[in-house]
Amino acid sequence: MNPPVGQRKLRLATTSLAGCFGCHMSLLDIDERLFELLDRVDLDRSPLTDIKHCGPCDIGLIEGGICNAENIHVLREFRQQCKVLIAVGACAINGGLPAQRNHLDLGQCLQEVYLTAPGIVGGRIPDDPELPLPLNQVHPIHEIVRIDYFIPGCPPSGDAIWKFLTDLLDGRTPRLGHPLLHFD
Amino acid sequence: MATADFPLASATGDGGNLRRIALDPLSRVEGHGKVTLLLDDAGQVWQARLHIVEFRGFEKFIQGRPYWEVPVMVQRLCGICPVSHHLAAAKALDHVVGADELPPTAEKLRRLMHAGQILQSHALHFFHLSSPDLLFGFASDAARRNIVGIAAAHPEVARQGVLLRRFGQEIIRLTAGKRVHGTGAVPGGVNRALSRAERADLLAGIEQIIAWSRQAVQLVKRLHAADPELYDHFGTCRSNLLSIVGAGGVLDFYDGRLRARDADGRLLADAVHVRDYAELISEEVKSWSYMKFPFLSAIGPRDGWYKVGPLARVQNCEAIATPLAEAERREFIAHGGGRIVHAPLAYHWARMIEMLHAAEAIEDLLHDDELSGSELRSSGVRHHEGVGVIEAPRGTLIHHYRVGDDDLVTMCNLIVSTTHNNQPMNEAVRRVAQRYLDGQELTEGLLNHIEVAIRCFDPCLSCATHALGRMPLVLELLDASGRLVGRLAGAPDALSSGGGS
Amino acid sequence: MNTPTLLLDGLPVPFSVGQTIMEAATAAGIFIPHLCHHPDFKPQGSCKLCTVKANGRYVSACTMPAKDGMEVENNSPDLNDKRRTLLQMLFVEGNHFCPSCEKSGDCLLQALAYELEMLTAHFPQFYPDRPVDASHPEVLLDFNRCILCELCVRASREVDGKNVFALSGRGIGKHLIVNAESGRLADTGFSLADKAAHVCPVGVILAKRRGFLQPIGCRRYDRQPIGMQFASPPGSGGNGPEH
């Protein structure tokens, strides 16, 4: 993307799928640079705004992997609306720690948590139609839609996110080297 | 309106056609959740529910992992209060490695790390997430009702919020190695101390942090004073209270014993050792949420539910150990006029008092040379079981593990703060729905009232989904036949704060 | 007589007869990415990370003897692309959850991924089911992270004389096993003092109860990326994957 300087502000959307919001915390860890960022981009849908559905955006940041049917809908909405889609953090990139349940039987997991865990009264597996169906396995988001860039880390540091976004906004190829590139 | 326990059956019985409205995802909260409402033709609200819609299965896949991995792994439940999970797990595992008492350096470093966590999380919640509702109005322009709007209209408030949070995050970075998901605590102690230079750097900024924290308390008090009717009654529901309380009855975020009071402040249980938590509370499962519903076992599920978090803690303790926060606590108690304050909006007030206490506690700790000590760990006779309880930003957080002779975890039970507040949040949602939405033409601004009520609790929906995923918060409106008529979808991504909380 | 010399990315690198390209490069402080190579063991050339182009042909630097006048291409986009792809395949085949792995920061696989700027594992994840072996009182085996480099196999056989480990199966079914009837490490003569307990480049063979004692910031590859550790002059502490 080559945003000619002085042109319209770019729109940025962010969301968390099956993540812990740690990547959003890292986005806020750019500290005072947040105001500089907000001078350069308008926030669309994000946990920080009350916009519930993504409009046409230039950049979308996705935290978290795919663990249920609803995650897939949200991810597709983002892909449809965002010119550049970025997978942020371990969960979006390889499923992250929640993917450690992938070799387990989902039904058994649910049974243990909701039926046989200590101190349970009226044990039952939640099954209301309001609850999106959990998937058997947690998946990285690039297995569902095309992803343009990846920022690894659990979470990537605020500095890494800042470097990446400013590279992108300034029209450079985003690049992370030591010590900004890390997987933990 | 139907209650949480007896909801739809009665509603569909005579309700005819009910409309469903969903707020999905809830926004400006931490984590995913949705709220659904069922309304009849006259717009009367028949049912309102907060759903946690994700499941991540941490309790299950931790089994079979080596115990020393657990504090690092479980903090990934929540990126907002990872430190609380990290420490609760480490505390539980202290028992497993027989570290009945930690070296003072280790205990103080952990307390410092946790105070940093309380500071950053409370600042985040108040300034970044909730202040737009409070400063602009619940039904104000949705496009402006966020931190960007605050930065434009109240730049100094926004800047202080960002810098308060930064300070807390820096404390965490220096004690845990990273701002989010570090490794500072290990079973039996910590893996590094603070150097004198690091302490001096932090001390250079603490005076300003305390001053801003005081201003934040004043800001909330002004809001309460400007509209007492709203602040005292919005979504107010009486309930029991639960928290841990430190030695001598003082507010303690890091350690203590469990105390429960009833809605009038009478003690229901006190000095309960945390390892006996399972005798004090049970959890109920409902079909429509992945988040369980805890209650005091002695009272039962109908009346035994309770609030946790700042509002519970500030009223459950007898004192706060730092002077500025203690003075503010007294003023808060005086505001209740001898009665327990149950108003959800008062959570913000209590939260800012706690933030001030965290800032003062950080200063006291930073002056302590033991933070730079060299004895970092202890150990003793191995045990097979450990319970760790901590007061996370959002309330009491319980971690319980069993570990085999081969060092692998065989059982894990987690009750996170937001889960304790499940029923109070549902009650607050129902009250607000009844008071503000009944019979009304539903607008975005009116529906935001529901989210305002939920935000008071600073729910960490991220934490709450630990069991098998995450829980999104959604608000949906059904008509009398249960048909979905409207759905206010919040971004499934609300910032979930977490842990524990 | 003249010292034999090869050209590594255009730089003259002298070597002594009998050295491999890898040995010549290491002695000169030049880093060639590798996983299964270890200076203490006979090279086996299985991981292919050290693939270089010698006189126009792809060869394993760890097994190919250096020759006078040989022109070797090492740090080129073409080779690094291939190496990154190999790493990506290794990452998806196992369960490499760096965020909660105690080897993170000290892991050769991870350090190479950083060096080669691997941002995603790209391929579909396998998520295999590989239970850990915690039977031994001092050592944990977490097979989730095994990359089949056989360093433990070689160390146990050649140095410890115990032959505790072996690879079994073929193709995608190939996996590390413990040579005991029960298959459990506790039923072998394995000891924490063995060489094999300290050669694993990833987080498979771990001394128990020590995870995360090293603070973030002080771990091996927190300080310097692996390539620069090799580039430091010999004797300054930067060398080789062994710890």
Side-chain angles (χ1 to χ4, degrees):
Chain A
M1 46 198 330
N2 300 307
V5 182
Q7 296 257 335
R8 74 174 173 88
K9 275 171 88 171
L10 298 179
R11 283 192 83 77
L12 171 72
T14 77
T15 191
S16 173
L17 306 175
C20 72
F21 280 80
C23 295
H24 276 84
M25 289 300 100
S26 267
L27 174 61
L28 294 181
D29 278 338
I30 63 176
D31 300 331
E32 309 94 299
R33 290 171 290 183
L34 179 64
F35 300 120
E36 195 180 321
L37 179 67
L38 294 176
D39 281 341
R40 302 186 64 180
V41 302
D42 283 324
L43 274 186
D44 198 275
R45 173 182 167 160
S46 160
L48 292 170
T49 70
D50 286 347
I51 301 173
K52 310 265 183 191
H53 285 283
C54 193
C57 283
D58 300 285
I59 304 173
L61 301 178
I62 309 268
E63 164 189 352
I66 299 291
C67 83
N68 66 29
E70 180 184 346
N71 294 152
I72 295 177
H73 293 308
V74 175
L75 178 59
R76 289 197 170 134
E77 175 184 305
F78 265 71
R79 179 66 275 182
Q80 205 159 28
Q81 298 288 5
C82 299
K83 290 181 194 156
V84 171
L85 202 55
I86 306 175
V88 184
C91 298
I93 292 172
N94 68 12
L97 292 202
Q100 293 205 40
R101 79 161 163 91
N102 280 358
H103 65 275
L104 302 169
D105 179 80
L106 176 65
Q108 216 183 338
C109 278
L110 286 164
Q111 275 196 358
E112 269 192 42
V113 173
Y114 294 104
L115 290 174
T116 59
I120 290 286
V121 172
R124 62 202 296 186
I125 293 174
D127 59 353
D128 194 89
E130 293 293 352
L131 302 178
L133 283 176
L135 304 180
N136 280 337
Q137 289 200 325
V138 178
H139 293 274
I141 63 173
H142 74 256
E143 292 186 13
I144 313 288
V145 300
R146 183 177 56 78
I147 299 299
D148 300 294
Y149 294 101
F150 300 83
I151 311 179
C154 186
S157 65
D159 287 341
I161 294 175
W162 177 253
K163 166 78 164 60
F164 209 95
L165 285 180
T166 49
D167 276 352
L168 203 56
L169 293 172
D170 294 341
R172 293 186 295 267
T173 301
R175 203 165 164 199
L176 299 175
H178 182 85
L180 295 179
L181 174 58
H182 61 89
F183 295 168
D184 59 2
Chain B
M1 171 168 44
T3 70
D5 296 302
F6 313 103
L8 204 49
S10 55
T12 47
D14 56 342
N17 293 321
L18 290 181
R19 281 191 303 145
R20 172 179 178 274
I21 287 197
L23 272 169
D24 178 16
L26 295 183
S27 47
R28 288 187 286 122
V29 298
E30 296 125 354
H32 284 187
K34 70 175 177 183
V35 169
T36 58
L37 302 173
L38 294 181
L39 306 152
D40 65 17
D41 291 341
Q44 192 198 340
V45 182
W46 282 79
Q47 178 189 288
R49 284 172 168 177
L50 164 63
H51 306 264
I52 294 308
V53 300
E54 248 177 86
F55 174 75
R56 282 186 302 185
F58 270 75
E59 280 159 331
K60 177 69 180 144
F61 65 67
I62 283 165
Q63 292 174 32
R65 297 305 309 172
Y67 73 78
W68 53 89
E69 217 173 66
V70 170
V72 177
M73 190 186 280
V74 288
Q75 65 184 334
R76 263 87 186 177
L77 280 168
C78 177
I80 297 146
C81 61
V83 167
S84 303
H85 285 285
H86 185 58
L87 292 177
K91 286 179 70 179
L93 295 165
D94 289 344
H95 295 287
V96 169
V97 302
D100 298 327
E101 213 166 307
L102 298 191
T105 296
E107 160 129 1
K108 285 172 182 174
L109 282 160
R110 285 191 187 180
R111 282 181 174 274
L112 178 68
M113 193 195 299
H114 198 228
Q117 162 81 93
I118 296 274
L119 179 71
Q120 73 85 9
S121 175
H122 280 4
L124 166 78
H125 179 260
F126 183 75
F127 291 97
H128 295 71
L129 302 180
S130 277
S131 74
D133 297 320
L134 308 179
L135 295 177
F136 294 143
F138 301 174
S140 58
D141 177 13
R144 191 172 79 127
R145 211 172 51 211
N146 52 50
I147 185 68
V148 188
I150 293 291
H154 306 278
E156 192 52 24
V157 171
R159 197 175 77 88
Q160 288 176 14
V162 165
L163 295 178
L164 280 162
R165 181 179 174 279
R166 182 184 74 175
F167 191 85
Q169 290 289 78
E170 279 300 285
I171 297 258
I172 294 168
R173 184 180 66 80
L174 288 166
T175 48
K178 278 167 73 192
R179 281 181 166 203
V180 181
H181 300 332
T183 65
V186 292
V190 296
N191 67 14
R192 62 156 300 180
L194 274 190
S195 71
R196 282 166 195 278
E198 287 166 334
R199 282 163 51 208
D201 279 352
L202 290 169
L203 274 170
I206 191 65
E207 202 177 322
Q208 183 65 76
I209 295 302
I210 292 175
W212 284 338
S213 300
R214 294 182 78 176
Q215 287 178 29
V217 183
Q218 305 314 316
L219 172 59
V220 185
K221 283 198 293 197
R222 281 202 303 278
L223 291 166
H224 273 259
D227 196 346
E229 167 62 25
L230 178 69
Y231 276 77
D232 289 341
H233 298 112
F234 180 79
T236 298
C237 53
R238 287 162 51 83
S239 74
N240 309 294
L241 307 174
L242 177 84
S243 72
I244 56 173
V245 175
V250 301
L251 178 74
D252 195 327
F253 299 128
Y254 179 74
D255 201 20
R257 297 204 170 197
L258 291 159
R259 173 183 285 179
R261 289 185 194 274
D262 72 10
D264 295 315
R266 285 183 294 261
L267 282 178
L268 292 169
D270 197 13
V272 177
H273 197 288
V274 295
R275 68 173 168 251
D276 300 324
Y277 79 94
E279 286 164 31
L280 190 65
I281 56 183
S282 305
E283 292 182 281
E284 192 179 17
V285 180
K286 295 187 183 178
S287 65
W288 44 273
S289 182
Y290 283 123
M291 185 155 68
K292 295 171 187 171
F293 292 77
F295 58 91
L296 298 168
S297 311
I299 301 181
R302 208 177 69 110
D303 301 314
W305 50 278
Y306 48 85
K307 297 187 191 85
V308 299
L311 191 60
R313 287 191 291 246
V314 163
Q315 300 185 93
N316 222 359
C317 68
E318 273 118 50
I320 296 179
T322 55
L324 298 174
E326 170 61 7
E328 294 297 345
R329 184 194 69 89
R330 286 168 186 265
E331 198 172 329
F332 180 87
I333 298 295
H335 177 78
R339 309 173 69 167
I340 295 287
V341 177
H342 287 290
L345 285 169
Y347 261 102
H348 296 301
W349 186 350
R351 191 171 288 122
M352 291 301 96
I353 294 172
E354 288 192 343
M355 184 170 80
L356 174 58
H357 170 55
E360 290 181 281
I362 287 169
E363 180 177 29
D364 291 348
L365 281 164
L366 286 173
H367 282 297
D368 191 331
D369 283 341
E370 279 189 319
L371 281 189
S372 306
S374 56
E375 200 189 336
L376 301 182
R377 286 180 290 281
S378 64
S379 62
V381 179
R382 272 283 289 270
H383 295 103
H384 286 108
E385 189 158 7
V387 176
V389 181
I390 202 165
E391 284 294 332
R394 288 151 199 87
T396 312
L397 169 64
I398 301 170
H399 280 220
H400 180 191
Y401 304 98
R402 284 195 204 111
V403 178
D405 286 327
D406 60 1
D407 299 313
L408 302 185
V409 175
T410 59
M411 190 282 295
C412 163
N413 188 36
L414 310 171
I415 306 182
V416 304
S417 330
T418 296
T419 302
H420 295 291
N421 273 337
N422 196 354
Q423 186 72 1
M425 285 192 288
N426 269 285
E427 290 292 339
V429 163
R430 271 193 287 280
R431 268 156 227 254
V432 168
Q434 222 161 16
R435 162 77 177 74
Y436 294 92
L437 273 54
D438 252 2
Q440 302 292 314
E441 177 79 16
L442 291 185
T443 59
E444 192 279 338
L446 272 182
L447 289 172
N448 186 50
H449 283 60
I450 301 262
E451 295 193 64
V452 169
I454 291 168
R455 282 180 205 124
C456 292
F457 294 87
D458 185 17
C460 180
L461 307 184
S462 176
C463 284
T465 55
H466 65 282
L468 196 52
R470 267 178 19 195
M471 52 178 187
L473 192 54
V474 183
L475 192 46
E476 299 189 325
L477 213 40
L478 307 189
D479 71 12
S481 60
R483 196 165 49 92
L484 176 63
V485 233
R487 177 174 169 116
L488 216 78
D493 9 33
L495 282 179
S496 168
S497 114
S501 61
Chain C
M1 79 183 232
N2 290 338
T3 312
T5 301
L6 57 75
L7 277 179
L8 191 52
D9 289 332
L11 279 176
V13 170
F15 62 91
S16 42
V17 175
Q19 279 190 316
T20 60
I21 297 173
M22 178 71 82
E23 285 163 342
T26 303
I30 293 170
F31 178 57
I32 300 178
H34 57 268
L35 277 170
C36 71
H37 167 75
H38 188 295
D40 293 354
F41 300 102
K42 216 173 81 183
Q44 66 171 18
S46 66
C47 77
K48 302 298 173 198
L49 253 288
C50 70
T51 299
V52 293
K53 241 181 179 172
N55 293 338
R57 291 176 54 224
Y58 292 111
V59 299
S60 296
C62 70
T63 53
M64 176 60 79
K67 291 198 186 88
D68 195 24
M70 188 184 244
E71 287 184 32
V72 179
E73 176 187 320
N74 169 39
N75 189 8
S76 67
D78 165 50
L79 286 165
N80 286 336
D81 280 348
K82 288 187 164 53
R83 291 166 179 158
R84 197 179 307 111
T85 302
L86 289 172
L87 287 175
Q88 289 172 322
M89 292 193 284
L90 286 172
F91 267 89
V92 300
E93 274 178 30
N95 291 312
H96 296 282
F97 295 111
C98 297
S100 64
C101 177
E102 62 190 86
K103 191 78 171 189
S104 188
D106 291 315
C107 170
L108 187 61
L109 180 70
Q110 188 190 60
L112 288 171
Y114 295 168
E115 185 74 18
L116 295 168
E117 298 185 59
M118 186 193 106
L119 301 177
T120 165
H122 178 76
F123 301 106
Q125 298 276 343
F126 285 31
Y127 299 125
D129 182 10
R130 297 184 190 163
V132 304
D133 179 348
S135 61
H136 195 281
E138 297 297 331
V139 176
L140 175 76
L141 295 182
D142 189 337
F143 298 105
N144 286 294
R145 303 153 182 165
C146 185
I147 54 170
L148 308 177
C149 69
E150 288 193 86
L151 279 172
C152 59
V153 175
R154 286 179 273 166
S156 186
R157 189 177 58 217
E158 295 167 20
V159 181
D160 307 325
K162 292 185 180 176
N163 208 19
V164 168
F165 301 103
L167 292 189
S168 171
R170 285 183 173 279
I172 200 61
K174 192 194 261 188
H175 63 289
L176 183 67
I177 57 163
V178 171
N179 279 324
E181 204 161 327
S182 64
R184 292 164 14 119
L185 191 64
D187 299 325
T188 68
F190 192 74
S191 148
L192 190 52
D194 289 357
K195 175 78 171 171
H198 305 280
V199 292
C200 182
V202 292
V204 178
I205 305 176
L206 301 161
K208 279 184 164 182
R209 301 177 289 277
R210 298 200 193 153
F212 304 104
L213 290 187
Q214 186 81 312
I216 292 171
C218 305
R219 303 169 307 184
R220 183 183 182 97
Y221 302 111
D222 287 339
R223 303 191 296 263
Q224 258 191 329
I226 187 169
M228 286 182 59
Q229 296 192 15
F230 268 80
S232 18
S236 70
N239 60 10
E242 71 273 58
H243 291 70

